[in-house]
Amino acid sequence: MAPGTMLFIGEQKQDKARIDLMHYSGTVLHELRDVTVNQCAEFAKSPGITWINVNGIHDIRQIEALGKVFNLHPMTLEDLVNTTQRPKVEEFPHYLFIVLKMMSFSDMPSRLVMEHVSLILGKGSVISFLEDEGDLFDTVRNRIRAATGRIRLLKADYLAYSLMDAVVDHYFLTVERIGDRIEDIDEQILADPRQEDIKEIHQLKRDILHLRKAVWPFREEVGVIAKSDSALLHPETRVFWRDLYDHTIQIIEMAETCRDILGGMHDTYLSSISNRMNEVMKMLTIISTIFIPLTFIVGVYGMNFEYMPELKWHYGYCLIWGVMLAISLGLFIYFKQKRWL
């Protein structure tokens, strides 16, 4: 298809896409649910900050209508509905287009869940696009409702920062949960290594790889925003973008640490299996060593010769048993002294 053609690429997670809206200033707050595109346009023209949140990007007509109202570039609309788009930031004359990935980690079963998130930062408005309805931005909504902090006092770029900061907070939570799971598997491997452990180690390695693929370009786009001369970014928010950049670097370092630990755990698993096999072989060897002289004695007296003096002894049977028990006990004591048992 031609560049700029809208084609939804991803999993349709809900039946109906919905638009929620929050319009606020220092003293006024309007919160609406399931609004139309025309209502969004009316609030965006009024004084204050307008936050439009689109839950579900599979409705091409709705996204196209928003694009016409807010004069979005066709290439922007194409990337909005493409969930495979890598994180990036693009500057246009009257808006910034930001793409990022939200991640969460599920413990049972252990898997990484990734969601495509896009932001449109305009003059006095922010449009966020989510694949599905969720609680990703609930903390930001609660701060707006409670009028805590500076979010109701600053411009739309601070709202965009707050939304991206919420995504970064999920990154921290995801890395911490992965780290906790790594510790559990590490203890399991040292205590009793199982075949399922190596499979989960490989799955965690893939999760860390996906996390790195999302965070590395995210760091680049935050750096671009922090250094941008766009009129949409105000001087009072520069320090917050730099702080977000530092948090992104911290997440990268934590992910690298987890990856190194997982690489060591793979070697630890193989070493544990090898040591376990060595212990089994050592025990079998000791048992075989104890039975070698006993087998020799039994083999000698199992030969079919008529003239064997011990066969006629009255206490020959008991004597042979005593000799075999003495040999077994002597070998057992010897192995104990050598700490082979």
Side-chain angles (χ1 to χ4, degrees):
M1 295 183 178
T5 303
M6 295 183 63
L7 178 64
F8 175 69
I9 300 176
E11 179 184 356
Q12 185 168 330
K13 297 184 178 181
Q14 64 179 21
D15 296 332
K16 182 180 180 298
R18 193 186 74 249
I19 301 177
D20 298 331
L21 183 143
M22 296 186 77
H23 182 82
Y24 62 88
S25 62
T27 57
V28 179
L29 172 62
H30 299 282
E31 185 173 358
L32 303 176
R33 185 181 176 88
D34 198 9
V35 299
T36 63
V37 175
N38 292 331
Q39 288 177 298
C40 295
E42 292 175 2
F43 275 98
K45 294 176 182 178
S46 59
I49 306 301
T50 303
W51 175 19
I52 302 168
N53 186 61
V54 181
N55 298 294
I57 58 176
H58 55 273
D59 191 341
I60 300 296
R61 294 182 179 178
Q62 188 178 72
I63 303 296
E64 189 175 10
L66 280 171
K68 291 180 180 180
V69 169
F70 290 94
N71 193 21
L72 301 181
H73 195 278
M75 296 301 296
T76 300
L77 297 177
E78 179 185 357
D79 292 339
L80 280 174
V81 295
N82 183 3
T83 61
T84 63
Q85 177 63 53
R86 71 187 298 271
K88 66 175 182 177
V89 58
E90 293 181 348
E91 294 187 25
F92 292 88
H94 60 285
Y95 68 90
L96 289 179
F97 176 48
I98 303 170
V99 180
L100 55 153
K101 301 291 184 181
M102 191 279 290
M103 292 189 178
S104 60
F105 185 75
S106 174
D107 293 329
M108 300 300 290
S110 299
R111 66 187 186 96
L112 188 69
V113 180
M114 184 182 300
E115 183 177 352
H116 183 73
V117 180
S118 302
L119 301 177
I120 302 292
L121 170 61
K123 185 178 180 180
S125 65
V126 174
I127 310 175
S128 57
F129 299 86
L130 304 177
E131 284 190 65
D132 193 13
E133 182 179 2
D135 59 351
L136 172 61
F137 296 142
D138 278 353
T139 55
V140 180
R141 292 188 183 92
N142 293 332
R143 285 159 53 193
I144 295 175
R145 295 176 185 132
T148 57
R150 54 181 64 86
I151 192 168
R152 294 270 291 267
L153 303 176
L154 296 179
K155 305 297 182 181
D157 57 338
Y158 185 80
L159 173 60
Y161 154 77
S162 300
L163 299 178
M164 295 178 68
D165 186 61
V167 174
V168 172
D169 290 341
H170 277 76
Y171 285 164
F172 276 111
L173 184 61
T174 298
V175 175
E176 289 176 359
R177 288 183 174 177
I178 291 177
D180 293 340
R181 186 57 190 150
I182 289 175
E183 291 180 2
D184 294 339
I185 298 177
D186 192 25
E187 294 177 359
Q188 174 66 34
I189 288 176
L190 294 177
D192 183 22
R194 303 170 302 174
Q195 189 175 2
E196 294 79 8
D197 295 331
I198 194 66
K199 296 180 180 179
E200 189 160 5
I201 289 174
H202 285 295
Q203 180 61 45
L204 289 173
K205 281 185 175 181
R206 287 192 290 268
D207 292 341
I208 290 294
L209 180 60
H210 291 313
L211 180 64
R212 291 177 72 250
K213 287 182 178 180
V215 177
W216 275 97
F218 183 81
R219 184 191 68 166
E220 296 175 3
E221 66 179 332
V222 174
V224 170
I225 295 173
K227 299 175 183 178
S228 175
D229 296 328
S230 175
L232 298 172
L233 302 172
H234 299 82
E236 58 267 23
T237 59
R238 298 287 182 183
V239 63
F240 298 106
W241 293 112
R242 292 196 297 268
D243 182 68
L244 188 63
Y245 184 82
D246 294 337
H247 289 173
T248 307
I249 293 178
Q250 185 177 353
I251 293 172
I252 292 175
E253 292 175 350
M254 294 171 63
E256 293 293 336
T257 301
C258 290
R259 188 178 70 162
D260 294 341
I261 294 175
L262 285 171
M265 287 175 59
H266 186 274
D267 297 336
T268 302
Y269 173 82
L270 296 179
S271 298
S272 299
I273 294 297
S274 178
N275 291 336
R276 190 174 181 181
M277 183 63 66
N278 290 338
E279 289 293 327
V280 173
M281 294 303 298
K282 183 179 71 173
M283 183 60 64
L284 293 177
T285 302
I286 290 174
I287 294 175
S288 299
T289 303
I290 293 176
F291 275 90
I292 284 175
L294 307 184
T295 304
F296 172 77
I297 294 174
V298 172
V300 169
Y301 285 96
M303 293 186 295
N304 295 321
F305 289 105
E306 182 178 356
Y307 299 101
M308 294 183 67
E310 294 86 355
L311 296 178
K312 302 296 182 178
W313 290 0
H314 183 72
Y315 297 103
Y317 176 75
C318 297
L319 180 62
I320 293 301
W321 266 109
V323 171
M324 291 192 295
L325 291 176
I327 292 174
S328 301
L329 182 61
L331 289 175
F332 180 80
I333 295 173
Y334 177 77
F335 292 147
K336 272 289 189 180
Q337 291 178 346
K338 291 291 185 178
R339 296 183 178 179
W340 294 349
L341 285 176

CSV table of all heavy atoms in Angstrom, one decimal, residues 237-264:
chain,number,residue,atom,x,y,z
A,237,THR,N,9.6,22.8,32.2
A,237,THR,CA,9.5,21.3,32.2
A,237,THR,C,10.8,20.6,31.7
A,237,THR,O,10.9,19.4,31.7
A,237,THR,CB,8.4,20.9,31.3
A,237,THR,OG1,8.6,21.3,30.0
A,237,THR,CG2,7.1,21.4,31.8
A,238,ARG,N,11.8,21.4,31.4
A,238,ARG,CA,13.1,20.8,30.9
A,238,ARG,C,13.7,19.9,31.9
A,238,ARG,O,14.2,18.8,31.6
A,238,ARG,CB,14.1,21.9,30.5
A,238,ARG,CG,13.6,22.8,29.4
A,238,ARG,CD,13.7,22.1,28.0
A,238,ARG,NE,13.3,23.0,27.0
A,238,ARG,CZ,13.2,22.6,25.7
A,238,ARG,NH1,13.5,21.4,25.3
A,238,ARG,NH2,12.8,23.5,24.8
A,239,VAL,N,13.7,20.3,33.2
A,239,VAL,CA,14.3,19.5,34.2
A,239,VAL,C,13.6,18.2,34.4
A,239,VAL,O,14.2,17.2,34.7
A,239,VAL,CB,14.3,20.3,35.6
A,239,VAL,CG1,12.9,20.6,36.0
A,239,VAL,CG2,15.1,19.6,36.6
A,240,PHE,N,12.3,18.1,34.2
A,240,PHE,CA,11.6,16.9,34.3
A,240,PHE,C,11.9,15.9,33.2
A,240,PHE,O,12.0,14.7,33.4
A,240,PHE,CB,10.1,17.1,34.3
A,240,PHE,CG,9.6,18.0,35.4
A,240,PHE,CD1,9.2,19.3,35.2
A,240,PHE,CD2,9.5,17.5,36.7
A,240,PHE,CE1,8.8,20.2,36.2
A,240,PHE,CE2,9.1,18.3,37.8
A,240,PHE,CZ,8.7,19.7,37.5
A,241,TRP,N,12.1,16.4,32.0
A,241,TRP,CA,12.6,15.5,30.9
A,241,TRP,C,13.9,14.9,31.2
A,241,TRP,O,14.2,13.8,30.9
A,241,TRP,CB,12.5,16.3,29.6
A,241,TRP,CG,11.2,16.7,29.1
A,241,TRP,CD1,10.7,17.9,29.0
A,241,TRP,CD2,10.1,15.8,28.7
A,241,TRP,NE1,9.4,17.9,28.6
A,241,TRP,CE2,9.0,16.6,28.3
A,241,TRP,CE3,10.0,14.4,28.5
A,241,TRP,CZ2,7.8,16.1,27.8
A,241,TRP,CZ3,8.8,13.9,28.0
A,241,TRP,CH2,7.7,14.7,27.7
A,242,ARG,N,14.8,15.7,31.7
A,242,ARG,CA,16.2,15.2,32.1
A,242,ARG,C,16.1,14.2,33.2
A,242,ARG,O,16.8,13.2,33.1
A,242,ARG,CB,17.1,16.4,32.5
A,242,ARG,CG,17.4,17.4,31.4
A,242,ARG,CD,18.6,18.2,31.7
A,242,ARG,NE,18.3,19.1,32.9
A,242,ARG,CZ,17.8,20.3,32.8
A,242,ARG,NH1,17.6,20.8,31.6
A,242,ARG,NH2,17.6,21.1,33.9
A,243,ASP,N,15.2,14.4,34.1
A,243,ASP,CA,15.0,13.4,35.2
A,243,ASP,C,14.5,12.1,34.6
A,243,ASP,O,14.9,11.0,35.0
A,243,ASP,CB,14.1,13.9,36.2
A,243,ASP,CG,13.9,13.0,37.4
A,243,ASP,OD1,14.8,12.7,38.1
A,243,ASP,OD2,12.8,12.4,37.5
A,244,LEU,N,13.6,12.2,33.6
A,244,LEU,CA,13.0,11.0,33.0
A,244,LEU,C,14.1,10.3,32.2
A,244,LEU,O,14.2,9.0,32.2
A,244,LEU,CB,11.9,11.4,32.0
A,244,LEU,CG,11.1,10.3,31.4
A,244,LEU,CD1,10.4,9.4,32.5
A,244,LEU,CD2,10.1,10.8,30.4
A,245,TYR,N,15.0,11.0,31.6
A,245,TYR,CA,16.2,10.4,30.9
A,245,TYR,C,17.0,9.6,31.9
A,245,TYR,O,17.5,8.5,31.6
A,245,TYR,CB,17.0,11.5,30.2
A,245,TYR,CG,18.1,11.0,29.4
A,245,TYR,CD1,17.9,10.6,28.1
A,245,TYR,CD2,19.4,11.0,29.9
A,245,TYR,CE1,18.9,10.1,27.3
A,245,TYR,CE2,20.5,10.6,29.1
A,245,TYR,CZ,20.2,10.1,27.8
A,245,TYR,OH,21.3,9.7,27.0
A,246,ASP,N,17.3,10.2,33.1
A,246,ASP,CA,18.1,9.5,34.0
A,246,ASP,C,17.4,8.2,34.5
A,246,ASP,O,18.1,7.2,34.7
A,246,ASP,CB,18.3,10.4,35.3
A,246,ASP,CG,19.2,11.6,34.9
A,246,ASP,OD1,20.0,11.5,33.9
A,246,ASP,OD2,19.2,12.6,35.6
A,247,HIS,N,16.1,8.2,34.7
A,247,HIS,CA,15.4,7.0,35.1
A,247,HIS,C,15.5,6.0,34.0
A,247,HIS,O,15.6,4.8,34.3
A,247,HIS,CB,13.9,7.4,35.3
A,247,HIS,CG,13.7,8.2,36.6
A,247,HIS,ND1,12.4,8.7,36.9
A,247,HIS,CD2,14.5,8.5,37.5
A,247,HIS,CE1,12.5,9.3,38.0
A,247,HIS,NE2,13.8,9.3,38.4
A,248,THR,N,15.4,6.4,32.7
A,248,THR,CA,15.5,5.4,31.6
A,248,THR,C,16.9,4.7,31.6
A,248,THR,O,17.0,3.5,31.4
A,248,THR,CB,15.3,6.1,30.3
A,248,THR,OG1,14.1,6.9,30.3
A,248,THR,CG2,15.2,5.1,29.2
A,249,ILE,N,17.9,5.5,31.9
A,249,ILE,CA,19.3,4.9,32.0
A,249,ILE,C,19.3,3.9,33.1
A,249,ILE,O,19.9,2.8,33.0
A,249,ILE,CB,20.3,6.0,32.2
A,249,ILE,CG1,20.4,6.9,30.9
A,249,ILE,CG2,21.7,5.4,32.5
A,249,ILE,CD1,21.4,8.0,31.0
A,250,GLN,N,18.7,4.2,34.3
A,250,GLN,CA,18.7,3.3,35.4
A,250,GLN,C,18.0,2.0,35.0
A,250,GLN,O,18.4,0.9,35.4
A,250,GLN,CB,18.0,4.0,36.6
A,250,GLN,CG,18.0,3.2,37.9
A,250,GLN,CD,17.4,3.9,39.0
A,250,GLN,OE1,17.0,5.1,38.9
A,250,GLN,NE2,17.2,3.2,40.1
A,251,ILE,N,16.9,2.1,34.3
A,251,ILE,CA,16.2,0.9,33.9
A,251,ILE,C,17.1,0.0,33.0
A,251,ILE,O,17.1,-1.2,33.1
A,251,ILE,CB,14.9,1.2,33.2
A,251,ILE,CG1,13.9,1.9,34.1
A,251,ILE,CG2,14.2,0.0,32.5
A,251,ILE,CD1,12.7,2.5,33.5
A,252,ILE,N,17.8,0.7,32.1
A,252,ILE,CA,18.7,-0.1,31.2
A,252,ILE,C,19.8,-0.8,32.0
A,252,ILE,O,20.1,-2.0,31.7
A,252,ILE,CB,19.3,0.9,30.2
A,252,ILE,CG1,18.3,1.4,29.2
A,252,ILE,CG2,20.5,0.2,29.4
A,252,ILE,CD1,18.8,2.5,28.2
A,253,GLU,N,20.3,-0.1,33.0
A,253,GLU,CA,21.3,-0.8,33.8
A,253,GLU,C,20.7,-1.9,34.6
A,253,GLU,O,21.4,-3.0,34.7
A,253,GLU,CB,21.9,0.3,34.8
A,253,GLU,CG,22.7,1.4,34.1
A,253,GLU,CD,23.2,2.4,35.1
A,253,GLU,OE1,22.7,2.4,36.3
A,253,GLU,OE2,24.0,3.3,34.7
A,254,MET,N,19.5,-1.8,35.1
A,254,MET,CA,18.9,-2.9,35.8
A,254,MET,C,18.6,-4.1,34.9
A,254,MET,O,18.8,-5.3,35.2
A,254,MET,CB,17.6,-2.4,36.4
A,254,MET,CG,17.7,-1.4,37.5
A,254,MET,SD,16.2,-0.7,38.1
A,254,MET,CE,15.3,-2.1,38.7
A,255,ALA,N,18.2,-3.8,33.6
A,255,ALA,CA,18.0,-4.8,32.6
A,255,ALA,C,19.3,-5.6,32.3
A,255,ALA,O,19.3,-6.8,32.1
A,255,ALA,CB,17.3,-4.3,31.4
A,256,GLU,N,20.3,-4.8,32.1
A,256,GLU,CA,21.6,-5.4,31.8
A,256,GLU,C,22.1,-6.3,33.0
A,256,GLU,O,22.7,-7.4,32.7
A,256,GLU,CB,22.7,-4.3,31.6
A,256,GLU,CG,22.4,-3.5,30.3
A,256,GLU,CD,22.6,-4.3,29.0
A,256,GLU,OE1,23.3,-5.4,29.1
A,256,GLU,OE2,22.0,-4.0,28.0
A,257,THR,N,21.8,-5.9,34.2
A,257,THR,CA,22.2,-6.7,35.4
A,257,THR,C,21.4,-8.0,35.4
A,257,THR,O,22.0,-9.1,35.6
A,257,THR,CB,21.9,-5.9,36.7
A,257,THR,OG1,22.7,-4.7,36.7
A,257,THR,CG2,22.3,-6.8,37.9
A,258,CYS,N,20.1,-7.9,35.1
A,258,CYS,CA,19.3,-9.1,35.0
A,258,CYS,C,19.8,-10.1,33.9
A,258,CYS,O,19.8,-11.3,34.1
A,258,CYS,CB,17.8,-8.8,34.8
A,258,CYS,SG,17.0,-8.0,36.2
A,259,ARG,N,20.2,-9.5,32.8
A,259,ARG,CA,20.6,-10.3,31.7
A,259,ARG,C,21.9,-11.1,32.1
A,259,ARG,O,22.1,-12.2,31.8
A,259,ARG,CB,20.9,-9.5,30.4
A,259,ARG,CG,21.2,-10.3,29.2
A,259,ARG,CD,21.4,-9.5,28.0
A,259,ARG,NE,22.6,-8.7,28.0
A,259,ARG,CZ,23.1,-8.1,27.0
A,259,ARG,NH1,22.6,-8.3,25.8
A,259,ARG,NH2,24.2,-7.4,27.1
A,260,ASP,N,22.8,-10.4,32.7
A,260,ASP,CA,24.1,-11.0,33.2
A,260,ASP,C,23.8,-12.1,34.2
A,260,ASP,O,24.5,-13.2,34.1
A,260,ASP,CB,25.0,-9.9,33.8
A,260,ASP,CG,25.5,-8.9,32.7
A,260,ASP,OD1,25.4,-9.2,31.5
A,260,ASP,OD2,25.9,-7.8,33.1
A,261,ILE,N,22.9,-11.8,35.1
A,261,ILE,CA,22.6,-12.9,36.1
A,261,ILE,C,22.0,-14.1,35.4
A,261,ILE,O,22.3,-15.2,35.8
A,261,ILE,CB,21.6,-12.3,37.1
A,261,ILE,CG1,22.3,-11.2,38.0
A,261,ILE,CG2,21.1,-13.4,38.1
A,261,ILE,CD1,21.4,-10.5,38.9
A,262,LEU,N,21.1,-13.9,34.4
A,262,LEU,CA,20.5,-15.0,33.7
A,262,LEU,C,21.5,-15.8,33.0
A,262,LEU,O,21.5,-17.1,32.9
A,262,LEU,CB,19.4,-14.5,32.7
A,262,LEU,CG,18.1,-14.0,33.4
A,262,LEU,CD1,17.2,-13.4,32.3
A,262,LEU,CD2,17.4,-15.2,34.0
A,263,GLY,N,22.5,-15.1,32.4
A,263,GLY,CA,23.6,-15.8,31.8
A,263,GLY,C,24.4,-16.7,32.7
A,263,GLY,O,24.8,-17.8,32.4
A,264,GLY,N,24.6,-16.2,33.9
A,264,GLY,CA,25.3,-17.0,35.0
A,264,GLY,C,24.5,-18.1,35.5
A,264,GLY,O,25.0,-19.2,35.8
